[in-house]
Coordinates of all heavy atoms in Angstrom, one line a residue:
M50 N 0.8 -1.2 0.0 CA 0.0 0.0 0.0 C 0.9 1.2 0.0 O 2.1 1.2 0.2 CB -0.9 0.0 1.2 CG -1.9 -1.2 1.3 SD -2.9 -1.3 -0.2 CE -4.1 0.0 0.2
G51 N 0.3 2.4 -0.2 CA 1.0 3.6 -0.2 C 1.3 4.2 -1.6 O 1.6 5.3 -1.7
Q52 N 1.1 3.3 -2.6 CA 1.4 3.8 -3.9 C 0.2 4.4 -4.6 O 0.3 5.1 -5.5 CB 1.9 2.6 -4.8 CG 3.3 2.2 -4.5 CD 3.9 1.3 -5.6 OE1 3.4 0.2 -5.8 NE2 4.9 1.7 -6.2
Y53 N -1.0 4.1 -4.0 CA -2.2 4.6 -4.6 C -3.0 5.3 -3.5 O -3.0 4.9 -2.3 CB -3.1 3.5 -5.2 CG -2.4 2.9 -6.4 CD1 -1.6 1.8 -6.3 CD2 -2.6 3.4 -7.7 CE1 -0.9 1.3 -7.4 CE2 -2.0 2.9 -8.8 CZ -1.2 1.8 -8.7 OH -0.6 1.3 -9.8
C54 N -3.6 6.4 -3.9 CA -4.5 7.1 -3.0 C -5.6 6.2 -2.4 O -6.3 5.6 -3.2 CB -5.1 8.3 -3.7 SG -6.3 9.2 -2.7
H55 N -5.7 6.2 -1.1 CA -6.7 5.4 -0.4 C -8.1 5.9 -0.6 O -9.1 5.3 -0.2 CB -6.4 5.2 1.0 CG -5.2 4.4 1.3 ND1 -4.9 3.8 2.5 CD2 -4.2 4.0 0.5 CE1 -3.8 3.1 2.4 NE2 -3.3 3.2 1.2
S56 N -8.2 7.1 -1.2 CA -9.5 7.7 -1.3 C -10.0 7.6 -2.8 O -11.2 7.2 -3.0 CB -9.5 9.1 -0.9 OG -10.7 9.8 -1.3
C57 N -9.2 7.8 -3.8 CA -9.6 7.8 -5.2 C -8.9 6.8 -6.0 O -9.2 6.6 -7.2 CB -9.5 9.2 -5.8 SG -7.8 9.7 -6.1
G58 N -7.8 6.2 -5.5 CA -7.0 5.3 -6.3 C -6.0 5.9 -7.3 O -5.4 5.2 -8.1
G59 N -5.9 7.2 -7.2 CA -4.9 7.9 -8.1 C -3.5 7.4 -7.7 O -3.2 7.2 -6.5
P60 N -2.6 7.4 -8.7 CA -1.2 7.0 -8.4 C -0.4 8.0 -7.6 O -0.2 9.1 -8.1 CB -0.6 6.7 -9.8 CG -1.4 7.6 -10.7 CD -2.8 7.7 -10.1
L61 N 0.1 7.7 -6.5 CA 0.9 8.7 -5.7 C 2.3 8.9 -6.2 O 3.0 9.8 -5.8 CB 0.9 8.3 -4.2 CG -0.5 8.3 -3.5 CD1 -0.4 7.8 -2.1 CD2 -1.2 9.6 -3.6
A62 N 2.7 8.0 -7.1 CA 4.0 8.1 -7.6 C 4.1 9.3 -8.6 O 5.2 9.9 -8.8 CB 4.4 6.9 -8.4
D63 N 2.9 9.8 -9.1 CA 2.9 11.0 -9.9 C 3.1 12.2 -9.1 O 2.4 12.5 -8.1 CB 1.4 11.0 -10.5 CG 1.3 12.2 -11.5 OD1 2.1 13.2 -11.4 OD2 0.4 12.2 -12.3
P64 N 4.2 12.9 -9.3 CA 4.6 14.1 -8.5 C 3.5 15.2 -8.5 O 3.4 15.9 -7.6 CB 5.8 14.6 -9.2 CG 5.9 14.0 -10.5 CD 5.2 12.7 -10.4
N65 N 2.6 15.2 -9.5 CA 1.5 16.1 -9.5 C 0.4 15.8 -8.5 O -0.4 16.6 -8.2 CB 0.9 16.2 -10.9 CG 1.8 16.8 -11.9 OD1 2.6 17.8 -11.6 ND2 1.9 16.3 -13.1
L66 N 0.4 14.5 -8.1 CA -0.6 14.1 -7.2 C -0.1 13.9 -5.8 O -0.9 13.8 -4.8 CB -1.2 12.7 -7.6 CG -2.0 12.7 -8.9 CD1 -2.4 11.3 -9.3 CD2 -3.1 13.7 -8.9
K67 N 1.2 13.9 -5.6 CA 1.8 13.6 -4.3 C 1.4 14.6 -3.3 O 1.3 15.8 -3.5 CB 3.3 13.6 -4.5 CG 4.1 13.0 -3.2 CD 4.2 11.5 -3.3 CE 5.1 11.1 -2.2 NZ 4.3 10.8 -1.0
R68 N 1.3 14.1 -2.1 CA 1.0 15.0 -0.9 C 1.9 14.5 0.2 O 2.4 13.4 0.2 CB -0.5 14.8 -0.5 CG -1.4 15.8 -1.1 CD -1.1 17.1 -0.7 NE -2.1 18.1 -1.1 CZ -1.8 19.4 -1.3 NH1 -0.6 19.8 -1.1 NH2 -2.8 20.2 -1.7
P69 N 2.0 15.4 1.3 CA 2.8 14.9 2.5 C 2.2 13.6 3.0 O 3.0 12.8 3.5 CB 2.6 16.1 3.5 CG 2.3 17.3 2.6 CD 1.6 16.7 1.4
S70 N 0.9 13.4 2.9 CA 0.4 12.1 3.3 C 0.8 11.1 2.4 O 0.8 11.3 1.2 CB -1.2 12.2 3.4 OG -1.7 10.9 3.4
D71 N 1.1 9.9 2.8 CA 1.4 8.8 1.9 C 0.2 7.9 1.6 O 0.3 6.9 1.0 CB 2.6 7.9 2.4 CG 2.3 7.3 3.7 OD1 1.1 7.5 4.2 OD2 3.1 6.5 4.3
Q72 N -1.0 8.4 2.1 CA -2.2 7.7 1.8 C -3.1 8.3 0.8 O -3.9 7.7 0.2 CB -3.0 7.5 3.1 CG -2.3 6.6 4.1 CD -3.3 6.3 5.3 OE1 -3.9 7.1 5.8 NE2 -3.4 5.0 5.6
F73 N -3.1 9.7 0.7 CA -4.0 10.4 -0.1 C -3.3 11.4 -1.1 O -2.3 11.9 -0.8 CB -5.0 11.2 0.8 CG -5.7 10.4 1.8 CD1 -5.5 10.6 3.2 CD2 -6.5 9.3 1.5 CE1 -6.1 9.9 4.1 CE2 -7.1 8.5 2.4 CZ -6.9 8.8 3.8
C74 N -4.0 11.5 -2.2 CA -3.4 12.5 -3.2 C -3.9 13.9 -2.9 O -4.7 14.1 -2.0 CB -3.9 12.0 -4.6 SG -5.6 12.4 -5.0
R75 N -3.4 14.8 -3.7 CA -3.7 16.2 -3.4 C -5.2 16.6 -3.7 O -5.6 17.6 -3.3 CB -2.8 17.1 -4.2 CG -2.9 17.0 -5.7 CD -1.8 17.8 -6.4 NE -1.9 19.2 -6.2 CZ -2.5 20.0 -7.1 NH1 -3.0 19.5 -8.2 NH2 -2.6 21.3 -6.9
Y76 N -5.9 15.8 -4.5 CA -7.3 16.0 -4.7 C -8.1 15.6 -3.6 O -9.3 16.0 -3.5 CB -7.7 15.3 -6.0 CG -7.0 15.9 -7.2 CD1 -6.1 15.1 -7.9 CD2 -7.2 17.2 -7.7 CE1 -5.4 15.6 -9.0 CE2 -6.5 17.7 -8.8 CZ -5.6 16.9 -9.4 OH -4.9 17.4 -10.5
C77 N -7.6 14.7 -2.8 CA -8.4 14.1 -1.7 C -8.1 14.6 -0.3 O -8.8 14.4 0.6 CB -8.3 12.6 -1.7 SG -8.9 11.9 -3.3
A78 N -6.9 15.2 -0.2 CA -6.5 15.6 1.2 C -5.8 17.0 1.1 O -5.3 17.4 0.0 CB -5.5 14.6 1.8
D79 N -5.9 17.8 2.2 CA -5.2 19.1 2.2 C -3.7 18.9 2.4 O -3.2 17.8 2.5 CB -5.9 20.0 3.2 CG -5.7 19.4 4.7 OD1 -4.8 18.6 4.9 OD2 -6.5 19.8 5.5
S80 N -3.0 20.0 2.5 CA -1.6 20.0 2.6 C -1.1 19.4 3.9 O 0.1 19.1 4.0 CB -1.0 21.4 2.5 OG -1.5 22.3 3.5
H81 N -2.0 19.1 4.9 CA -1.6 18.5 6.1 C -1.9 17.0 6.1 O -1.7 16.3 7.0 CB -2.3 19.1 7.3 CG -2.1 20.6 7.4 ND1 -0.9 21.0 7.9 CD2 -2.8 21.6 7.2 CE1 -0.9 22.4 7.9 NE2 -2.1 22.8 7.5
G82 N -2.5 16.5 4.9 CA -2.8 15.1 4.8 C -4.1 14.7 5.3 O -4.4 13.6 5.5
N83 N -5.0 15.8 5.7 CA -6.3 15.5 6.2 C -7.3 15.3 5.0 O -7.4 16.1 4.1 CB -6.8 16.6 7.0 CG -5.9 16.9 8.3 OD1 -5.7 15.9 9.0 ND2 -5.4 18.1 8.4
L84 N -8.0 14.1 5.1 CA -8.9 13.8 4.0 C -10.0 14.8 3.9 O -10.6 15.3 4.9 CB -9.5 12.4 4.3 CG -10.3 11.7 3.2 CD1 -9.4 11.4 2.0 CD2 -10.8 10.4 3.8
Y85 N -10.4 15.2 2.7 CA -11.4 16.2 2.4 C -12.8 15.5 2.7 O -12.9 14.2 2.7 CB -11.4 16.6 1.0 CG -10.3 17.6 0.7 CD1 -9.6 17.5 -0.5 CD2 -10.1 18.7 1.5 CE1 -8.6 18.4 -0.8 CE2 -9.1 19.6 1.2 CZ -8.3 19.5 0.0 OH -7.3 20.4 -0.3
P86 N -13.9 16.3 2.9 CA -15.2 15.6 3.1 C -15.6 14.8 1.9 O -15.2 15.0 0.8 CB -16.1 16.9 3.2 CG -15.2 18.0 3.6 CD -13.9 17.7 3.0
E87 N -16.4 13.7 2.2 CA -16.8 12.8 1.2 C -17.5 13.4 0.0 O -17.2 13.1 -1.1 CB -17.8 11.8 1.9 CG -18.2 10.7 1.0 CD -19.0 9.6 1.7 OE1 -19.3 9.8 2.9 OE2 -19.4 8.6 1.1
E88 N -18.3 14.4 0.3 CA -19.0 15.1 -0.8 C -18.0 15.7 -1.8 O -18.1 15.6 -3.0 CB -19.9 16.2 -0.2 CG -20.5 17.1 -1.3 CD -21.7 16.5 -1.9 OE1 -22.2 15.5 -1.5 OE2 -22.2 17.1 -2.9
R89 N -17.0 16.4 -1.3 CA -16.0 17.0 -2.1 C -15.2 16.0 -3.0 O -15.0 16.2 -4.2 CB -15.0 17.8 -1.3 CG -13.9 18.4 -2.1 CD -13.0 19.4 -1.3 NE -11.9 19.8 -2.1 CZ -11.2 20.9 -1.9 NH1 -11.5 21.6 -0.9 NH2 -10.2 21.2 -2.7
V90 N -14.8 14.9 -2.4 CA -14.1 13.9 -3.1 C -15.0 13.2 -4.2 O -14.6 13.0 -5.3 CB -13.6 12.8 -2.1 CG1 -13.0 11.6 -2.9 CG2 -12.6 13.4 -1.1
Q91 N -16.3 13.0 -3.8 CA -17.2 12.4 -4.8 C -17.4 13.3 -6.0 O -17.4 12.9 -7.2 CB -18.6 12.2 -4.1 CG -19.5 11.5 -5.1 CD -20.9 11.2 -4.4 OE1 -21.1 11.5 -3.2 NE2 -21.8 10.8 -5.2
V92 N -17.5 14.6 -5.8 CA -17.6 15.6 -6.9 C -16.4 15.5 -7.8 O -16.5 15.5 -9.0 CB -17.9 17.0 -6.4 CG1 -17.7 18.0 -7.5 CG2 -19.3 17.1 -5.8
G93 N -15.2 15.5 -7.2 CA -14.0 15.4 -7.9 C -13.9 14.2 -8.8 O -13.5 14.2 -9.9
I94 N -14.2 13.0 -8.2 CA -14.2 11.8 -9.0 C -15.2 11.8 -10.1 O -14.9 11.4 -11.2 CB -14.4 10.6 -8.0 CG1 -13.2 10.4 -7.1 CG2 -14.6 9.3 -8.9 CD1 -13.4 9.3 -6.0
A95 N -16.4 12.4 -9.8 CA -17.4 12.4 -10.9 C -16.9 13.3 -12.0 O -17.2 12.9 -13.2 CB -18.7 13.0 -10.3
Q96 N -16.3 14.4 -11.8 CA -15.8 15.2 -12.8 C -14.7 14.5 -13.6 O -14.6 14.7 -14.9 CB -15.2 16.6 -12.3 CG -16.4 17.4 -11.8 CD -15.9 18.7 -11.1 OE1 -14.8 18.8 -10.8 NE2 -16.8 19.6 -10.9
W97 N -13.9 13.8 -12.9 CA -12.8 13.0 -13.6 C -13.5 11.9 -14.5 O -13.0 11.8 -15.7 CB -11.9 12.3 -12.5 CG -11.0 11.3 -13.1 CD1 -9.9 11.6 -13.9 CD2 -11.0 9.9 -12.8 NE1 -9.3 10.4 -14.2 CE2 -9.9 9.4 -13.5 CE3 -11.8 9.1 -12.1 CZ2 -9.7 8.0 -13.5 CZ3 -11.6 7.7 -12.0 CH2 -10.5 7.2 -12.8
L98 N -14.5 11.3 -14.0 CA -15.2 10.3 -14.9 C -15.8 10.9 -16.1 O -15.7 10.3 -17.2 CB -16.4 9.6 -14.1 CG -16.0 8.6 -13.0 CD1 -17.2 8.3 -12.2 CD2 -15.4 7.4 -13.6
M99 N -16.3 12.1 -16.0 CA -16.9 12.8 -17.2 C -15.9 13.2 -18.2 O -16.2 13.4 -19.4 CB -17.7 14.0 -16.7 CG -19.0 13.6 -16.1 SD -20.2 15.0 -15.8 CE -19.3 15.8 -14.4
T100 N -14.6 13.3 -17.8 CA -13.6 13.7 -18.8 C -13.2 12.6 -19.7 O -12.8 12.8 -20.8 CB -12.3 14.2 -18.1 OG1 -11.7 13.1 -17.4 CG2 -12.5 15.3 -17.1
W101 N -13.4 11.4 -19.3 CA -13.1 10.3 -20.2 C -14.3 9.4 -20.6 O -14.1 8.3 -21.2 CB -11.9 9.5 -19.7 CG -12.1 8.9 -18.3 CD1 -11.8 9.5 -17.1 CD2 -12.5 7.6 -18.0 NE1 -12.1 8.6 -16.1 CE2 -12.5 7.4 -16.6 CE3 -12.9 6.5 -18.8 CZ2 -12.9 6.3 -16.0 CZ3 -13.3 5.3 -18.1 CH2 -13.3 5.2 -16.7
Q102 N -15.5 9.8 -20.2 CA -16.7 9.0 -20.6 C -17.7 10.0 -21.2 O -18.6 10.4 -20.5 CB -17.3 8.3 -19.4 CG -16.3 7.2 -18.8 CD -17.0 6.3 -17.8 OE1 -18.2 6.5 -17.4 NE2 -16.3 5.2 -17.5
P103 N -17.5 10.3 -22.4 CA -18.3 11.3 -23.1 C -19.8 10.8 -23.1 O -20.1 9.7 -23.3 CB -17.8 11.4 -24.5 CG -16.4 10.8 -24.5 CD -16.4 9.8 -23.3
G104 N -20.7 11.7 -22.9 CA -22.1 11.4 -22.9 C -22.7 11.0 -21.6 O -23.9 11.0 -21.4
I105 N -21.9 10.8 -20.6 CA -22.3 10.5 -19.2 C -22.9 11.7 -18.6 O -22.4 12.8 -18.8 CB -21.2 9.9 -18.4 CG1 -21.7 9.3 -17.1 CG2 -20.2 10.9 -18.1 CD1 -20.7 8.6 -16.2
T106 N -24.0 11.6 -17.9 CA -24.6 12.8 -17.3 C -23.9 13.0 -15.9 O -23.3 12.1 -15.4 CB -26.1 12.6 -17.0 OG1 -26.3 11.6 -16.1 CG2 -26.9 12.3 -18.3
E107 N -24.1 14.2 -15.4 CA -23.4 14.5 -14.1 C -24.0 13.6 -13.0 O -23.3 13.1 -12.1 CB -23.6 16.0 -13.8 CG -22.9 16.3 -12.5 CD -22.8 17.8 -12.2 OE1 -23.3 18.6 -13.1 OE2 -22.3 18.2 -11.2
R108 N -25.3 13.3 -13.1 CA -26.0 12.5 -12.1 C -25.4 11.1 -12.2 O -25.1 10.4 -11.1 CB -27.5 12.5 -12.3 CG -28.2 11.7 -11.2 CD -29.7 11.9 -11.3 NE -30.3 10.8 -10.5 CZ -31.4 10.2 -10.9 NH1 -32.0 10.6 -12.0 NH2 -31.9 9.3 -10.2
E109 N -25.3 10.5 -13.4 CA -24.7 9.2 -13.5 C -23.3 9.2 -13.0 O -22.8 8.2 -12.4 CB -24.7 8.8 -15.0 CG -26.1 8.4 -15.5 CD -26.1 8.2 -17.1 OE1 -25.2 8.8 -17.7 OE2 -26.9 7.4 -17.5
A110 N -22.5 10.2 -13.3 CA -21.1 10.3 -12.9 C -21.0 10.3 -11.4 O -20.2 9.6 -10.8 CB -20.5 11.5 -13.5
R111 N -22.0 11.0 -10.7 CA -22.0 11.1 -9.2 C -22.3 9.7 -8.7 O -21.7 9.3 -7.7 CB -23.1 12.0 -8.8 CG -22.7 13.5 -9.0 CD -22.0 14.0 -7.8 NE -22.2 15.4 -7.7 CZ -22.6 16.1 -6.6 NH1 -22.8 15.4 -5.5 NH2 -22.8 17.4 -6.6
E112 N -23.3 9.0 -9.3 CA -23.6 7.6 -8.8 C -22.4 6.7 -9.0 O -22.2 5.9 -8.1 CB -24.9 7.1 -9.5 CG -26.1 7.8 -9.1 CD -27.3 7.5 -9.9 OE1 -27.2 6.7 -10.9 OE2 -28.4 8.0 -9.6
R113 N -21.8 6.8 -10.1 CA -20.6 5.9 -10.3 C -19.5 6.2 -9.4 O -18.8 5.4 -8.9 CB -20.1 6.0 -11.8 CG -21.1 5.3 -12.7 CD -20.4 5.2 -14.1 NE -21.4 5.1 -15.1 CZ -21.2 4.9 -16.4 NH1 -19.9 4.8 -16.8 NH2 -22.1 4.8 -17.3
A114 N -19.3 7.5 -9.1 CA -18.3 7.9 -8.1 C -18.5 7.4 -6.8 O -17.6 6.9 -6.1 CB -18.2 9.5 -8.1
A115 N -19.8 7.4 -6.3 CA -20.2 6.9 -5.0 C -19.9 5.4 -5.0 O -19.4 4.9 -4.0 CB -21.6 7.1 -4.7
H116 N -20.2 4.7 -6.0 CA -20.0 3.2 -6.1 C -18.5 3.0 -6.1 O -18.0 2.1 -5.4 CB -20.6 2.7 -7.4 CG -20.4 1.2 -7.6 ND1 -21.2 0.3 -6.8 CD2 -19.6 0.5 -8.3 CE1 -20.8 -0.9 -7.2 NE2 -19.8 -0.8 -8.1
Y117 N -17.7 3.7 -6.9 CA -16.3 3.6 -6.9 C -15.6 3.8 -5.6 O -14.7 3.1 -5.2 CB -15.8 4.6 -7.9 CG -14.3 4.7 -8.2 CD1 -13.7 3.8 -9.1 CD2 -13.5 5.6 -7.5 CE1 -12.4 3.9 -9.4 CE2 -12.1 5.7 -7.8 CZ -11.6 4.8 -8.7 OH -10.2 4.9 -8.9
M118 N -16.1 4.8 -4.9 CA -15.5 5.1 -3.6 C -15.7 4.0 -2.5 O -14.9 3.9 -1.6 CB -16.1 6.4 -3.0 CG -15.6 7.6 -3.8 SD -16.5 9.1 -3.5 CE -16.0 9.5 -1.8
R119 N -16.8 3.2 -2.7 CA -17.0 2.2 -1.7 C -16.0 1.1 -1.8 O -15.9 0.2 -0.9 CB -18.4 1.6 -1.9 CG -19.5 2.4 -1.2 CD -20.8 1.7 -1.0 NE -21.6 1.7 -2.3 CZ -22.3 2.6 -2.7 NH1 -22.5 3.7 -2.0 NH2 -23.0 2.5 -3.8
A120 N -15.2 1.1 -2.9 CA -14.2 0.1 -3.1 C -12.8 0.6 -2.5 O -11.8 -0.1 -2.5 CB -14.0 -0.3 -4.5
M121 N -12.8 1.9 -2.1 CA -11.6 2.5 -1.6 C -11.5 2.4 -0.1 O -12.4 2.5 0.7 CB -11.6 4.0 -2.0 CG -11.5 4.2 -3.5 SD -9.9 3.7 -4.1 CE -10.4 3.0 -5.7
P122 N -10.2 2.1 0.4 CA -10.0 1.9 1.8 C -10.5 3.1 2.7 O -11.1 2.9 3.8 CB -8.5 1.8 2.0 CG -8.1 1.3 0.6 CD -9.0 1.9 -0.4
A123 N -10.4 4.3 2.2 CA -10.8 5.5 3.0 C -12.3 5.6 3.2 O -12.7 6.2 4.1 CB -10.3 6.7 2.3
W124 N -13.1 4.9 2.3 CA -14.5 5.1 2.4 C -15.3 3.8 2.6 O -16.5 3.7 2.8 CB -15.1 5.7 1.1 CG -14.4 7.0 0.7 CD1 -13.5 7.2 -0.3 CD2 -14.4 8.3 1.4 NE1 -13.0 8.4 -0.3 CE2 -13.6 9.1 0.7 CE3 -15.1 8.7 2.5 CZ2 -13.4 10.5 1.1 CZ3 -14.9 10.0 2.9 CH2 -14.1 10.9 2.2
A125 N -14.5 2.7 2.5 CA -15.2 1.4 2.5 C -16.0 1.1 3.7 O -17.1 0.4 3.6 CB -14.1 0.3 2.4
E126 N -15.6 1.6 4.9 CA -16.4 1.3 6.1 C -17.6 2.1 6.3 O -18.3 2.0 7.3 CB -15.5 1.3 7.3 CG -15.0 2.7 7.7 CD -13.6 3.0 7.0 OE1 -13.4 2.4 5.9 OE2 -12.8 3.7 7.5
K127 N -17.9 3.1 5.4 CA -19.0 3.9 5.5 C -20.3 3.2 5.1 O -20.2 2.4 4.2 CB -18.8 5.2 4.7 CG -17.7 6.0 5.2 CD -17.9 7.5 5.0 CE -16.8 8.2 5.8 NZ -17.3 9.5 6.2
Ligands
ZN142 ZN1 -7.1 10.8 -4.2

């Protein structure tokens, strides 16, 4: 573990995503390594999904993001 963000699965080896935390990327945690609220992370993942899935609606993207997050260690127990 430690190579992928525990919240969104993004690769932490990417210097653009790296954060002081070794568990979360810069999109999921602040500069102190504190995880952002679930709503914020979900919106971020939904927007990311829409960038590579043309035609998907924002609502569909949100639902898929929620589903995706349930497979992530940071959100799995919710
Ligand atoms: Zn992340």
Side-chain angles (χ1 to χ4, degrees):
M50 296 304 283
Q52 286 193 298
Y53 293 91
C54 175
H55 288 199
S56 168
C57 75
L61 296 180
D63 184 338
N65 292 321
L66 295 178
K67 190 90 174 87
R68 268 298 187 204
S70 165
D71 62 0
Q72 290 191 313
F73 306 118
C74 75
R75 63 190 293 266
Y76 296 110
C77 297
D79 65 20
S80 58
H81 302 288
N83 298 308
L84 194 60
Y85 286 136
E87 185 171 5
E88 172 80 9
R89 174 171 175 162
V90 174
Q91 184 181 353
V92 169
I94 293 174
Q96 288 175 348
W97 169 67
L98 286 171
M99 285 190 289
T100 64
W101 57 273
Q102 296 193 352
I105 193 175
T106 67
E107 185 168 355
R108 185 169 161 222
E109 285 171 335
R111 288 269 207 133
E112 288 173 359
R113 286 194 205 183
H116 181 76
Y117 180 85
M118 287 167 73
R119 277 195 284 277
M121 291 294 143
W124 308 110
E126 66 270 29
K127 295 212 169 209

